[in-house]
């Protein structure tokens, strides 16, 4: 009816805004600009580029036709899906057992195994590939175990992918297994249900959303990963390496864009499924559930201990081998230990790369945490402008669906566009930092949003009634209460910025190459030991920062946040 | 009268035709009322009737779709919350968990440009008022629910607002604490004289605390009046049913009397109802009297059988089957000693009388 509509229009027109409402509006405008520059325009340019030829003529789907007519390229799709599928199947089984041991048994040394499982997060994916080369390569120690098969190819990709995605799967499945209702198990036991049947009818279904989510995440991680297939893929082409080859090798941006779009499609679909699944899993557990407390079971507990020790040994074997490789003079002929490989006397590599990595990671952690937390606040807390705030939220969720390599290529096209006034940013630390923040935006946004959601919805109303400006409440209450989440976000951003390869490999310029990219280049030019040394530098930095983080969160939070203790 | 506002006539707070739509759903319909300065008002009604929404509209936390809100003679309909003069206590209290009791109370004082000693003095004064002086440096999580509630109240009162809004402030507390805090809140309000609106769905709370009660149902105010008026002269069957306990049974109006389904003629005030009108007859359980055996009950005496007995402290509630009144059960509250004297037991036939003055007739039933 028109009367209702006009009444509403009148209401909107008369509504007076206070200073805080205006602040929020400016922030919304700011974030709209941020996402336009950091995400939407680059992606749009990349997608549209796939419909043009080299001379800028619109040719519709001709590039796509060419792509599907080129058997070598088309084969890559099949290869990508094959390795991603196999890796996912293996990782899910291994990670489920591991997470089960951590959450549902009385196994000893759980704390230790929890830490060990996360160790792979401290190194770039390519480090696992390099270590595997030393174990199983042409001159590897255990090469015979492959019975004549080569580690260079699908076997190597799958093995390295399993190692680097394992912690992600353990985290997701572990969360699902930790959320359980002991009352279900008590009910089952009262009914004298067998262990196998309990496992099949309660445990597995209870964790099914976590498992689905882990399947999706791992599949997409492997499908879009670049570091592993680049180092250990040999002649086995996958889509991620195709993009790199088309763009860097042949300067064929159009075909690079086509492959990117094709890679983007499954990622977007998978991400959409994951969002739906996650939302459902939250509703699954009632707030009155009683957490499950496992009972000792000698057989299961010890079997799990053996299993976890095995995984821990393998994890350390990978890291240890990478370290050993970085220290050995000339593998496998001269096994003397030396620090020579850390001097990086190779063209285009040096300690400078490591310092760049530190600069990028520190900037991303500082600026990114700040931006992302304020962004989540703008989405979650104000009362006005719900539509605009929802649009910001959708923008915040989008980066998750964009593979790093695709994002990097999109940035490259964006920044190189002749009419882009931001062109001067090409090859600067700034653009690397911006792309990295965008790349890891979604996960951190969700962490911040969850923390903000847990705060009383009426804090802002109380502040308004007491005439306290938004900025003050934000500083005085919101930030202190969300401090643990803020620390989590910053460490997540730091570690991922140190280890990521995909987005930045297209974006570095003279003097701004980061360590992970340098490691790829070193490996490319046959300097595998130096590549291992470079990757190990990343590991050291990550370990130091991680330990500092634990101390800071432990001590500082304890000292400053007395209110958390009762 | 001219259209010009006259604060003296308008009352302190005045709502006119306030409606609120959420999408297609109408949460408030045409709400109008005036509140005088210093009054204690309760919004009372069942869950989902729009009490919180109305309170939030007054606070500016929701914006009404239609209508106007005036306070102290000024039109505040379109002002943001930060420019309205009110203090608010939420059901969850919304105490800042990382601030101590005194910092919570001082929260709104700090940006008023007061000097440090003034703030300290004001906080001390408020702590005395709520009787929590020894808890100054505790954090909210270290306080009991009742203490947290009082801190929230002190925080809302710290800046001396002209209007105090309370949204179910006592509902999270257990019965004993609730009863004590009712009196405390009312005492503080009396002392400060601050105009107060409290939302509740507990009619006992409303009746013991409020100067006037606004009974709400389905987004409308059904009746506003003092607790006595609301109880003794409920304007609608909904109010009659919601406040206290009420018996309802259908009757037909015939010649100035109400005739029950069992053909018993009840003497009562039929007002302007036309003969032949089918209406509902409402009687409170405590108004029903037992008639001594062997004595003539006189008008409005009804034969019944006791089908159940409930012991409710100082009185007993009888569930009576009275064929004359139709299928429904009639509830009657009688003093314990009377019940004993009449040797009340289940299955026993009794006679009860309904004094004509206690009978009210409504055109519609309670479920309307
Ligand atoms: N933001 C909103 N969006 C849509 N509907 C809403 C919103 N807020 C309230 N409502 C609806 O308006 C109606 C009135 O809600 P309100 O919270 O005012 O009820 P209430 O009387 O306070 O109930 P309770 O005693 O349960 O707190 C409810 O049906 C509710 O579902
Ligand atoms: Mg409410």
């Amino acid at each position: 009816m028109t009367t209702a509509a006009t009444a509403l229009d009148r209401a909107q027109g008369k509504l007076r805004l206070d200073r805080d409402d205006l602040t929020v509006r400016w922030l919304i405008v700011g974030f709209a600009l941020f996402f336009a520059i950091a995400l939407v325009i680059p992606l749009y340019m990349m997608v549209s580029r796939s419909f043009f030829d080299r001379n800028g003529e619109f040719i519709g789907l001709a590039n796509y036709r060419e792509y599907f007519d080129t058997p070598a390229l088309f084969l890559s799709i099949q290869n990508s899906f094959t390795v991603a599928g196999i890796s996912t199947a293996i990782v899910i089984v291994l990670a489920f057992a591991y997470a089960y041991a951590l959450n549902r048994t009385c196994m000893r040394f759980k704390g230790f195994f929890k830490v060990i499982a996360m160790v792979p997060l401290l190194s770039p994916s390519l480090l696992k590939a390099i270590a595997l080369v030393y174990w199983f390569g042409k001159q590897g120690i255990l090469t015979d175990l492959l019975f004549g098969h080569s580690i260079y190819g699908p076997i190597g990709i799958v093995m390295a992918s399993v190692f680097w995605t394992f912690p992600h799967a353990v985290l997701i499945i572990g969360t699902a297994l930790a959320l359980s209702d002991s009352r279900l198990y008590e009910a089952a036991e009262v009914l004298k249900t067998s262990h196998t049947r309990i496992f099949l009818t309660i445990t597995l279904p209870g964790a099914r959303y976590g498992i689905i989510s882990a399947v999706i995440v791992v599949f997409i991680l492997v499908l879009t990963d670049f570091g592993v297939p680049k180092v250990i893929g040999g002649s086995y082409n996958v889509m991620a390496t195709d993009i790199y080859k088309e763009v860097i090798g042949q300067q064929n941006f159009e075909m690079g864009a086509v492959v990117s779009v094709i890679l983007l499609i499954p990622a977007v679909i998978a991400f959409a499924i994951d969002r739906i699944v996650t939302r459902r899993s939250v509703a699954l557990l009632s707030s009155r559930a009683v957490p499950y407390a496992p009972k000792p079971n000698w057989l299961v507990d010890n079997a799990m201990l053996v299993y976890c020790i095995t995984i821990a040994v393998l994890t350390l074997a990978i890291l240890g081998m990478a370290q050993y490789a970085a220290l050995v003079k000339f593998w496998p002929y001269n096994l003397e230990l030396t620090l020579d490989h850390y001097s990086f006397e190779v063209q285009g590599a040096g300690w400078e790369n490591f310092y760049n990595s530190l600069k990028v990671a520190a900037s991303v952690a500082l600026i990114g945490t700040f931006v992302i937390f304020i962004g989540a606040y703008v989405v979650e807390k104000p009362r006005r402008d719900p539509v605009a705030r929802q649009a910001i939220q959708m923008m915040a969720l989008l980066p998750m669906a964009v593979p790093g390599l695709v994002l990097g290529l999109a940035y490259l096209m964006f920044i190189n566009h002749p009419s882009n006034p931001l062109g001067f940013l090409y090859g600067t630390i700034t653009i690397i930092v911006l792309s990295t923040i965008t790349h890891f935006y979604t996960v951190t946004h969700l962490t911040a949003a969850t923390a903000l959601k847990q705060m009383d919805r009426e804090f802002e109303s109380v502040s308004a009634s007491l005439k306290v400006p938004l900025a003050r409440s934000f500083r005085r209450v919101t930030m202190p209460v969300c401090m643990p989440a803020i620390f989590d976000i910053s460490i997540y951003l730091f570690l991922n910025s140190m280890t990521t390869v995909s987005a930045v490999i297209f974006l570095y310029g003279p003097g701004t190459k980061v360590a992970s990219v340098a490691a790829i280049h070193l490996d490319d030019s046959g300097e595998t030991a130096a590549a291992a040394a470079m990757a190990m530098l990343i590991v050291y930095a990550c370990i130091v920062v991680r330990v500092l983080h634990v101390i800071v969160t432990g001590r500082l939070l304890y000292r400053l946040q007395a209110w958390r203790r009762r | 009268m001219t259209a010009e506002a006259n604060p003296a006539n308008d009352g302190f707070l005045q709502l006119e035709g306030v409606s609120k739509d959420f999408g297609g759903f109408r949460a408030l319909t045409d709400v109008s009322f005036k509140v005088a300065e210093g009054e204690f008002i309760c919004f009372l009604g069942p869950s989902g009737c729009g009490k919180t929404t109305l309170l939030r509209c007054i606070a500016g936390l929701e914006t009404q779709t239609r209508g106007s809100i005036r306070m102290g003679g000024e039109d505040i309909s379109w002002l943001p919350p930060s420019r309205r003069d009110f203090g608010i206590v939420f059901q969850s209290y919304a105490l800042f968990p990382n601030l101590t009791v005194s910092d919570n109370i001082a929260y709104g004082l700090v940006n008023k440009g007061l000097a440090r000693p003034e703030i300290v003095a004001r906080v001390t004064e408020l702590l005395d008022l709520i009787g929590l002086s020894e808890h100054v440096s505790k954090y909210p999580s270290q306080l009991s629910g009742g203490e947290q509630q009082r801190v929230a109240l002190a925080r809302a009162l710290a800046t001396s607002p002209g209007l105090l809004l309370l949204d179910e402030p006592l509902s999270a507390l257990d019965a004993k604490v609730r009863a004590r805090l009712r009196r405390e809140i009312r005492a503080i309000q009396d002392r400060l004289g601050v105009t107060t609106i409290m939302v509740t769905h507990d009619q006992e709370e409303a009746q013991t605390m409020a100067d006037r009660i606004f009974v709400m149902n389905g987004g409308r105010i059904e009746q506003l009046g003092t607790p006595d008026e609301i109880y003794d002269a409920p304007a609608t069957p909904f109010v009659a049913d919601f406040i206290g306990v009420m018996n309802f049974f259908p009757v037909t109006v015939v010649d100035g009397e109400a005739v029950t389904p069992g053909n018993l003629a009840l003497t009562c005030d039929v007002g302007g109802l036309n003969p032949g009108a089918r209406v509902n007859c409402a009687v409170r359980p405590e108004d029903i009297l037992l008639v001594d055996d062997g004595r003539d009950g006189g008008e409005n005496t009804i034969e019944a059988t006791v089908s159940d007995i409930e012991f409710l402290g100082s009185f007993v509630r009888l569930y009576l089957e009275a064929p004359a009144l139709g299928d429904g059960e009639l509830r009657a509250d009688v003093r314990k000693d009377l019940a004993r004297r009449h040797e009340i037991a289940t299955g026993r036939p009794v006679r009860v009388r309904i004094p004509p003055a206690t009978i009210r007739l409504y055109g519609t039933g309670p479920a309307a």
Side-chain angles (χ1 to χ4, degrees), chain A residues 16 18 456 467 476 566, chain B residues 78 82 84 92 98 111 141:
Chain A
R16 306 249 201 96
D18 60 11
D456 197 305
K467 325 279 181 275
R476 200 74 213 286
R566 283 185 64 99
Chain B
W78 307 107
S82 60
R84 301 187 187 195
S92 62
N98 60 324
N111 62 309
S141 64

Side-chain angles (χ1 to χ4, degrees), chain B residues 22 25 27 45-54 62 91 167-168 199 201:
Chain B
F22 289 112
F25 176 77
S47 189
C49 71
K51 307 179 294 288
T52 299
T53 306
L54 183 53
E62 303 282 358
Q91 190 172 359
D167 189 357
E168 309 218 9
V199 162
H201 57 241

Side-chain angles (χ1 to χ4, degrees), chain A residues 403-477:
Chain A
L405 211 57
V406 175
L407 189 71
L409 182 57
Y411 267 59
L412 184 62
M413 292 174 174
F414 171 65
I415 212 74
N416 275 343
H417 197 276
S419 57
N420 186 349
L422 297 174
F424 68 91
L425 289 175
Y426 176 78
T428 59
I429 291 276
T430 310
I431 198 75
I432 294 175
V433 169
L434 184 67
S435 73
T436 310
I437 291 176
T438 311
H439 187 185
F440 298 114
Y441 200 99
T442 306
V443 172
T444 44
H445 170 86
L446 291 173
T447 308
T450 308
L452 287 166
K453 277 201 185 102
Q454 282 166 355
M455 291 178 63
D456 197 305
R457 285 190 305 138
E458 308 295 2
F459 282 166
E460 279 67 30
S461 310
V462 168
S463 292
S465 83
L466 293 171
K467 325 279 181 275
V468 176
L470 194 71
R472 203 180 121 79
S473 322
F474 184 81
R475 246 180 314 137
R476 200 74 213 286
V477 178

Side-chain angles (χ1 to χ4, degrees), chain A residues 6 36-37 44 71 128 185 241 324-325 382 397 425 471 485 546 559:
Chain A
T6 49
I37 292 173
Y44 170 78
K128 289 84 168 176
Y185 291 86
T241 46
Y324 187 57
L397 295 181
L425 289 175
R546 179 78 235 199
R559 184 118 37 91

Side-chain angles (χ1 to χ4, degrees), chain A residues 75-88 219-220 222-223 236-239 262-263 265-267:
Chain A
L75 185 65
S76 298
I77 298 186
Q78 202 185 323
N79 288 350
S80 280
F81 277 84
T82 309
V83 289
I86 296 172
S87 306
T88 306
F219 188 84
I220 291 302
V222 179
L223 191 72
Y236 190 82
N237 288 332
V238 294
M239 290 157 83
I262 291 170
L263 193 55
I265 293 168

Side-chain angles (χ1 to χ4, degrees), chain A residues 108-363:
Chain A
R108 270 170 298 165
F109 314 120
K110 276 186 194 170
F112 168 77
F113 289 119
K114 255 179 206 159
V115 172
I116 281 293
M118 296 304 130
V119 161
L121 292 178
L122 304 175
S123 58
S125 61
L126 64 102
L127 178 130
K128 289 84 168 176
I130 291 175
L132 283 177
V133 167
Y134 279 86
W135 278 115
F136 298 104
K138 291 195 188 74
Q139 289 145 339
I141 297 174
L142 302 175
T143 309
D144 294 344
L145 282 183
L146 294 179
F147 299 110
H149 295 286
S150 170
I151 192 74
Y152 294 100
I155 297 178
I157 297 178
V158 167
M159 281 171 78
S161 298
V162 166
F163 273 111
W164 86 267
T165 56
F166 181 76
H168 296 271
V170 169
L171 275 178
I172 298 172
I173 298 176
T175 309
L177 284 175
L179 294 172
S180 61
D181 194 341
S182 74
R183 292 173 303 176
L184 289 178
Y185 291 86
E186 280 160 11
E189 257 169 51
V190 170
L191 295 171
K192 305 222 182 338
T193 319
S194 74
H195 283 298
T196 325
R197 189 131 182 265
I198 290 181
F199 182 81
L200 291 177
T201 56
I202 301 177
T203 310
L204 266 186
R208 71 176 177 277
Y209 289 126
I211 294 173
I212 295 172
S213 190
V215 165
I216 292 168
V217 167
V218 170
F219 188 84
I220 291 302
L221 282 177
V222 179
L223 191 72
T224 61
D225 179 45
F226 168 72
V228 164
K230 181 81 186 67
V231 170
I232 210 169
S235 59
Y236 190 82
N237 288 332
V238 294
M239 290 157 83
T241 46
D242 280 351
I243 296 178
Y244 183 73
K245 277 184 208 149
E246 292 292 339
V247 173
I248 301 294
Q250 313 187 3
Q251 296 289 311
N252 189 346
F253 286 83
E254 291 68 28
M255 200 44 83
V258 168
V259 187
S260 293
V261 170
I262 291 170
L263 193 55
L264 195 55
I265 293 168
V268 170
I269 294 172
F271 173 69
I273 297 173
D274 184 48
R275 287 305 303 161
I276 296 167
V277 166
T278 315
R279 205 167 301 161
R280 247 190 238 160
S281 67
V282 173
L284 197 66
L285 198 77
S286 75
S287 57
R288 286 166 55 205
V290 185
Y292 175 77
K295 293 194 196 79
N297 177 329
W298 190 89
L299 188 65
V300 172
D301 294 347
N302 284 299
M304 282 304 183
L305 187 62
V306 171
Y307 171 69
C308 288
I309 290 174
T310 313
I311 295 280
V313 166
L314 290 176
T315 303
L316 293 176
I318 290 290
L319 194 65
M321 181 51 97
Q323 177 61 83
Y324 187 57
L327 292 173
V328 162
K329 207 155 213 166
F330 189 44
W331 180 275
Y333 308 107
N334 182 349
L335 296 181
E336 249 176 83
L337 297 185
T338 170
L339 287 176
D340 285 355
H341 300 303
Y342 285 89
S343 55
F344 307 115
E345 277 151 357
V346 196
Q347 220 221 325
W351 277 79
E352 182 202 39
N353 304 135
F354 177 61
Y355 301 141
N356 284 338
S357 273
L358 288 180
K359 249 186 265 174
V360 168
S363 310

Side-chain angles (χ1 to χ4, degrees), chain B residues 104-145:
Chain B
N104 260 289
I105 297 176
Y107 197 75
L109 295 170
V110 172
N111 62 309
K112 283 189 97 184
L114 296 181
R116 193 78 214 155
E118 289 178 84
I119 294 177
V120 173
R122 178 76 179 133
V123 171
T124 314
E125 187 187 338
L126 286 158
L127 282 167
D128 279 345
L129 187 71
I130 58 168
L132 283 182
S133 303
E134 68 275 31
H135 297 294
V136 257
S137 48
K138 281 193 179 172
Y139 291 102
S141 64
Q142 299 163 331
L143 298 176
S144 74

